[in-house]
Amino acid sequence: MDALPERPLFWRHHGSQGDRALRKGRWKLVHPRKSGSPPALFDLSVDPAEQTDLAGRHPDVLAALLAELEAWEKELVEPLWGPGSPPGK
């Protein structure tokens, strides 16, 4: 059986104003927008509990993953209901 190709996993919580993340290979980017905290970068191959933020040590990886996350978000539509939905819906 052939191995599946690697592909990124994206997610966000409560629309464009909430937390968002990207997992790609060994890297995981977490960007908590609501709290105003900077994005955090983790190497899940050695830190599966996400204890050590490596954003400062790997700015090239951080920038590449942030660009990929931004590109993904531009393809999405805002939710029509629930938190983050337009007023009056």
Side-chain angles (χ1 to χ4, degrees), residues 16-72:
S16 64
Q17 298 305 310
D19 295 349
R20 57 200 184 133
L22 165 57
R23 164 79 193 266
K24 186 171 185 182
R26 68 185 211 187
W27 298 106
K28 182 176 178 186
L29 169 71
V30 179
H31 194 195
R33 281 199 202 180
K34 284 184 181 174
S35 68
S37 299
L41 180 68
F42 304 99
D43 182 347
L44 298 181
S45 68
V46 295
D47 182 19
E50 301 174 18
Q51 299 296 306
T52 305
D53 180 3
L54 300 174
R57 290 188 230 165
H58 297 279
D60 54 333
V61 175
L62 178 67
L65 292 180
L66 279 171
E68 197 166 340
L69 185 62
E70 293 290 336
W72 170 74

